[in-house]
Amino acid sequence: MRDAPLEFVTAMAAHGDVTRHDADGEPVYMLHRPDLARHVLKENGAAYTKDRTPDDDMLRPLLGNGLLTSNGAEWAAQRRMCAPAFRPAEVDRFDRVIVEAAEHLVAHWDGGRPVRVDHDLTSLTLTVIVKAMLGTDIGVAGEGFGRAVDAVNRFIGHYVPSDDPDPADTAARYAGFHRARTFLDRVTRVIIAARRAGGAGDDLLGAMLAEGHTMSDADLRDQVLTIIMAGHETTAKSLTWTLYLLDRNPEAARAVHAEIDEVLEGRSPTAADLPRLRRCRQAVQEAMRLYPPVWLISRRGTADDVLDGYDVPAGSLVCVSPWVLHRDPRYWAEPDAYRPERFDPDRAARLLSHQYLPFGGGPRICVGRHFALVEATLVLAVILRGLRMELVAGFPVEPEALVTLRPRHGLMMIPRPR
């Protein structure tokens, strides 16, 4: 599981819809069918928690007790506080922030030289989420923030056994994680302090500050860092995979370019264009099927359960892999092929519940899913309005399953004028 996680979960699914293996002396149940995922994440979700799961173990050292890691009544209260900022009407008003950041990136890419697409898109989405949700310009701290995020992901995304054969390497990675976490803490606290001094504002951080009498500085830090991390990392990776897949699939790329030309006629996109930028949105949705940002979802049972006829005792770890569900030939024709038309509205309406889980499922489905799709669609339209992104010849592209699913070696592409 540690050495080759995607291969491992794929191999487990070949044994049946419910499998069990032992890890660290405890049984782990894996579910490989949409209705079973629905049962654990939604229908019987009250009997499962994120507490003491791999998700929790990876995220809590950095994010504390924020929206991604809290449970029960505390999570419900945090969700209620954050949800209004992510309503469609609220999200659409940030179209200018998104488009301006994307246009700045395209101008930076001018010249046809190879660019590190994954890093640049991470900086872009970081800028957008901080401006939109926290009312702050992260400025020169953005590049350092991106490097710190990479360092954190590489530490918390690996399962390292207690008998690690190279303790010096472990010590070095832990030191890197500690430095990165310290940097992220400082930036987050500066953002909070600046907003306290400048007034609440009409955004998510403003809403949290308005409830300051019930939120400690530590609580605010956890929530702000959670919003920053969850709000930029998965969108950046989804856009990265989209550009890669469009380059590998010229017919799909031509369809996206044609739509952008027809809808925009050379101008900048706005939220009003989103209903007509269907192929752009579908290109992202299909990329998230093949390369789901969250490739494994874990829960721990708080009560005995029965899954497809198998007794699962309380305390068991139960996992669902979107990577597996999204590539199951029982539910997807040509599952390994990139076919954005799968998400035409009529076809998408026929998908089974929890067959497609790029944002998770059930009550804990990602609160920012609409924001992510709006941002990704507009950014893709801006980039491909005047550019054709071409993979550097011979550049190795291999998925790496850390906290999110990312290209192991990054992604080097050449922006070519259309």
Side-chain angles (χ1 to χ4, degrees), residues 313-335:
S316 297
L317 187 64
V318 179
C319 298
V320 174
S321 173
W323 170 269
V324 171
L325 287 180
H326 291 185
R327 293 170 178 261
D328 192 323
R330 293 177 295 178
Y331 311 110
W332 305 93
E334 297 183 280

Side-chain angles (χ1 to χ4, degrees), residues 111-369:
R113 296 183 299 272
V115 295
R116 180 74 186 263
V117 167
D118 56 316
H119 276 183
D120 288 350
L121 288 173
T122 296
S123 295
L124 181 153
T125 56
L126 176 63
T127 296
V128 169
I129 194 67
V130 171
K131 282 187 177 180
M133 293 294 137
L134 307 179
T136 303
D137 190 337
I138 202 167
V140 295
E143 185 176 345
F145 203 103
R147 288 196 301 268
V149 168
D150 275 349
V152 165
N153 277 325
R154 294 208 168 274
F155 179 81
I156 66 179
H158 280 100
Y159 297 94
V160 180
S162 57
D163 57 346
D164 183 4
D166 189 353
D169 178 65
T170 299
R173 288 191 300 107
Y174 182 80
F177 166 74
H178 180 72
R179 287 193 299 271
R181 183 175 62 181
T182 299
F183 175 81
L184 295 174
D185 278 346
R186 286 175 179 168
V187 172
T188 302
R189 294 182 190 281
V190 166
I191 290 173
I192 293 171
R195 287 298 305 279
R196 281 193 189 279
D202 183 22
D203 50 40
L204 179 54
L205 180 53
M208 289 190 284
L209 289 171
E211 297 193 9
H213 61 285
T214 62
M215 295 185 71
S216 67
D217 285 347
D219 289 339
L220 271 172
R221 176 265 180 206
D222 291 350
Q223 293 300 345
V224 169
L225 192 51
T226 295
I227 293 300
I228 292 173
M229 293 293 289
H232 89 279
E233 171 77 357
T234 56
T235 307
K237 296 302 171 285
S238 298
L239 277 164
T240 297
W241 288 117
T242 302
L243 291 176
Y244 164 71
L245 288 165
L246 287 173
D247 175 64
R248 301 292 91 182
N249 295 270
E251 185 176 344
R254 282 193 291 270
V256 170
H257 280 130
E259 175 182 82
I260 292 170
D261 292 344
E262 178 184 350
V263 173
L264 301 183
E265 298 181 326
R267 63 176 172 80
S268 299
T270 69
D273 297 311
L274 288 167
R276 299 179 63 203
L277 292 172
R278 294 187 298 272
R279 293 189 187 276
C280 287
R281 182 179 66 255
Q282 291 162 14
V284 175
Q285 290 173 304
E286 175 71 343
M288 295 179 80
R289 181 188 70 83
L290 284 170
Y291 296 100
V294 178
W295 62 276
L296 188 71
I297 301 169
S298 57
R299 295 287 188 270
R300 192 170 292 278
T302 59
D304 294 344
D305 202 359
V306 178
L307 297 173
D308 208 32
Y310 295 96
D311 292 328
V312 178
S316 297
L317 187 64
V318 179
C319 298
V320 174
S321 173
W323 170 269
V324 171
L325 287 180
H326 291 185
R327 293 170 178 261
D328 192 323
R330 293 177 295 178
Y331 311 110
W332 305 93
E334 297 183 280
D336 294 325
Y338 181 65
R339 302 281 185 267
E341 62 271 16
R342 299 180 202 273
F343 292 95
D344 287 339
D346 289 343
R347 296 178 64 175
R350 294 195 292 271
L351 294 179
L352 300 174
S353 175
H354 289 63
Q355 175 182 338
Y356 180 63
L357 296 170
F359 298 107
R364 294 197 73 133
I365 192 169
C366 175
V367 70
R369 60 193 182 279

Side-chain angles (χ1 to χ4, degrees), residues 25-76:
E26 71 168 340
V28 179
Y29 296 84
M30 296 200 67
L31 312 180
H32 311 294
R33 210 171 64 211
D35 62 305
L36 297 173
R38 175 187 171 94
H39 174 82
V40 168
L41 298 178
K42 184 176 182 180
E43 292 170 346
N44 198 33
Y48 290 88
T49 179
K50 293 183 75 171
D51 188 37
R52 297 179 299 113
T53 64
D55 289 355
D56 186 59
D57 291 342
M58 287 190 295
L59 296 173
R60 190 172 292 275
L62 176 66
L63 302 182
N65 200 42
L67 185 61
L68 289 180
T69 50
S70 59
N71 289 287
E74 188 174 19
W75 167 82

